Amino acid sequence: MSSIATSQSDFEQAQKLLPGGVNSPVRAFKSVGGTPRFIARAAGSRIWDVDGNEYIDYVGSWGPMILGHTHPDVVKGVQETAALGMSFGAPCELEIDLARLVIDMVPGIEVVRFVNSGSEATMSALRLARGFTGRDKIVKFEGGYHGHADGLLVKAGSGAATFGVPDSAGVPADYAKLTLTAPFNDMEAVKKLFAENRGEIACIIVEPVPGNTGVMDLYSTGFLQGLRDLCTEDGALLIFDEVMCGFRVAAGGAQQRFGIAPDLTCLGKIIGGGLPVGAYGGREEIMRLISPDGPVYQAGTLSGNPLAMRAGLETLSRLRDPKLYETLEAKSARLVEGLLDGCKKAGVAATANRFGSMFTVFFTGADACNDYQDVCNCDLEFFGRYFNAMLDEGVYLAPSQFEASFVSAAHSDEDIDNTIAAAGRALAKITT
Ligand SMILES: *Cc1c(COP(=O)(O)O)cnc(C)c1O
């Protein structure tokens, strides 16, 4: 590998100025070790660091770059719109255009509100669910990430479902108590929470394709349908947090792919095409409770700004081509098979989960990885060595075993071949 001296000195400076040298924790490479690369530019499937090293990028800004970096139409659209003014704090027509497109694409959304991040979307959706049901408690799953709002930084203690304890300093315990948690794919635990808190649970919030524990499967186990049925029976709302899997596993998200309708949907990442956008939407009857139509307050100075709306429009409108998802599916399947095959040849125990173009390879002897505890049992130390060896080979994967990697429309067949070959070399290096 060529030098990373500039990234190293950038990181030293950044650490003096920013907590951990970063503005979002996972970028600091804490769980994998090594020096985070400072990125200078990107194009298509590639990113280049400040020392000029080139990487095939499977992070894609954590998903938004589904068309690849610097797609010419997206760049041109954003440049055009920027020249007309970047934010007005007043309505603009691009908001109508993007709302129409989102409502058209996502089956469960009849009315939508735009915000500036996924965290804002989930936090606001929870407030809305509480406002609609008049109930205070919420259910989330162990290891499920829904942004950094107080009540969502909670996971279960070990063992059975229990009352929440905060995961972060600064979250009041009294507040965290309103968050009930259960393991993924454990329907009995969820039913028990509902039985013990009858009439008090406002909603279940779940990533229908979890990506923030590494990708896992809640669909073929019947778990998602179970949650839908339970919410309907109880009068609680089902919130699909599709910030990551929305527009990723299908044009209409996981709800379209699986044919299961949530009451509310949270969106982020791809919806902004790389600019800060989030959204929450759902059944009209619920959405009409939001201010100024109704009593649930939520606002945003930069929400719906023309620049972000344009980036979203240019990106989403290009996702309506069904061919795009077919090609992504085929490329991603070939990549993951190739990576697993490489592990097998190197004598490394591994399994993988993949929906469409989001995937995680787990280093474990277990047959499957479908709850948080399974991922905790993976060889996390080995993952760190694999990640860094891949980086040395010019492949930029998500820097944690608890994350998904993403294939974009800009990844070529040659990129996939080169990645599989790089993985073979990386494994040879770290297993001998
Ligand atoms: C990324 C993510 C969020 C948070 O979105 P931000 O834009 O980082 O605030 C919430 N939920 C899920 C499922 C995510 O993947």
Side-chain angles (χ1 to χ4, degrees):
M1 185 192 60
S2 36
S3 162
I4 55 163
T6 315
S7 278
Q8 279 164 339
S9 81
D10 281 353
F11 192 45
E12 271 167 37
Q13 287 182 64
Q15 282 174 294
K16 291 182 192 137
L17 304 168
L18 305 163
V22 293
N23 284 303
S24 198
V26 73
R27 296 178 198 168
F29 281 17
K30 278 234 159 138
S31 71
V32 288
T35 304
R37 307 303 195 259
F38 281 66
I39 304 304
R41 68 189 175 91
S45 62
R46 305 304 167 103
I47 53 175
W48 287 267
D49 69 18
V50 286
D51 291 289
N53 301 304
E54 179 178 311
Y55 305 91
I56 306 175
D57 177 28
Y58 290 100
V59 173
S61 188
W62 297 95
M65 314 319 295
I66 189 167
L67 298 175
H69 292 282
T70 60
H71 187 289
D73 297 334
V74 181
V75 172
K76 185 163 154 273
V78 167
Q79 282 171 339
E80 259 172 36
T81 298
L84 299 173
M86 292 201 262
S87 185
F88 312 127
C92 69
E93 289 179 343
L94 288 167
E95 293 167 278
I96 305 175
D97 298 339
L98 188 59
R100 199 171 270 139
L101 192 55
V102 169
I103 290 165
D104 219 36
M105 289 172 80
V106 184
I109 298 189
E110 294 172 1
V111 175
V112 67
R113 166 64 62 88
F114 293 114
V115 292
N116 303 291
S117 69
S119 292
E120 257 188 85
T122 53
M123 175 181 100
S124 310
L126 287 188
R127 184 180 303 141
L128 177 57
R130 285 168 162 152
F132 181 79
T133 57
R135 303 170 176 185
D136 286 343
K137 291 179 182 167
I138 64 159
V139 171
K140 75 176 281 291
F141 297 96
E142 192 178 344
Y145 180 68
H146 304 288
H148 62 83
D150 282 350
L152 289 166
L153 289 178
V154 175
K155 69 179 181 198
S158 57
T162 179
F163 279 105
V165 286
D167 246 2
S168 162
V171 174
D174 278 351
Y175 199 73
K177 273 185 191 142
L178 297 175
T179 304
L180 314 176
T181 57
F184 283 122
N185 281 318
D186 186 344
M187 205 57 220
E188 286 316 305
V190 186
K191 282 188 179 154
K192 190 157 169 268
L193 288 178
F194 273 74
E196 288 167 355
N197 298 276
R198 198 156 294 289
E200 295 182 89
I201 295 172
C203 62
I204 296 178
I205 185 165
V206 63
E207 299 172 67
V209 178
N212 291 285
T213 37
V215 175
M216 48 187 61
D217 181 2
L218 310 184
Y219 172 66
S220 49
T221 56
F223 188 63
L224 286 178
Q225 188 60 53
L227 298 181
R228 175 65 279 176
D229 296 344
L230 188 59
C231 282
T232 304
E233 196 183 293
D234 180 85
L237 299 186
L238 179 62
I239 304 178
F240 273 4
D241 179 354
E242 296 220 38
V243 169
M244 185 181 282
C245 61
F247 310 110
R248 169 61 63 181
V249 299
Q255 55 197 273
Q256 183 185 54
R257 188 171 171 132
F258 301 148
I260 297 174
D263 300 294
L264 291 173
T265 300
C266 301
L267 296 166
K269 299 194 167 101
I270 293 177
I271 198 176
L275 286 186
V277 184
Y280 61 109
R283 286 176 16 225
E284 170 149 19
E285 150 199 39
I286 306 170
M287 292 300 291
R288 292 294 173 206
L289 288 189
I290 298 168
S291 185
D293 275 353
V296 176
Y297 193 72
Q298 188 270 309
T301 302
L302 296 173
S303 297
N305 79 82
L307 211 57
M309 297 294 102
R310 184 71 189 267
L313 263 174
E314 296 295 341
T315 301
L316 295 195
S317 58
R318 280 168 185 77
L319 300 179
R320 308 204 75 182
D321 170 10
K323 265 245 158 94
L324 182 130
Y325 287 94
E326 280 168 33
T327 316
L328 275 176
E329 183 83 41
K331 274 191 291 199
S332 309
R334 201 163 70 78
L335 174 63
V336 172
E337 277 160 30
L339 293 177
L340 283 179
D341 203 43
C343 291
K344 211 171 180 184
K345 281 184 186 140
V348 171
T351 181
N353 286 334
R354 179 185 69 82
F355 281 93
S357 53
M358 60 190 278
F359 69 92
T360 306
V361 174
F362 296 101
F363 294 108
T364 176
D367 294 338
C369 246
N370 278 322
D371 76 33
Y372 179 65
Q373 205 51 53
D374 291 341
V375 187
C376 294
N377 293 338
C378 289
D379 190 341
L380 304 179
E381 186 272 334
F382 187 84
F383 177 86
R385 287 197 285 141
Y386 178 75
F387 168 80
N388 278 295
M390 287 294 269
L391 212 52
D392 287 351
E393 293 288 342
V395 177
Y396 197 107
L397 296 169
S400 163
Q401 179 72 95
F402 292 87
E403 297 283 0
S405 292
F406 307 94
V407 179
S408 82
H411 286 79
S412 65
D413 286 331
E414 202 189 348
D415 285 333
I416 304 295
D417 291 336
N418 289 340
T419 304
I420 295 169
R425 292 191 299 272
L427 283 170
K429 223 185 278 174
I430 58 177
T431 53
T432 50

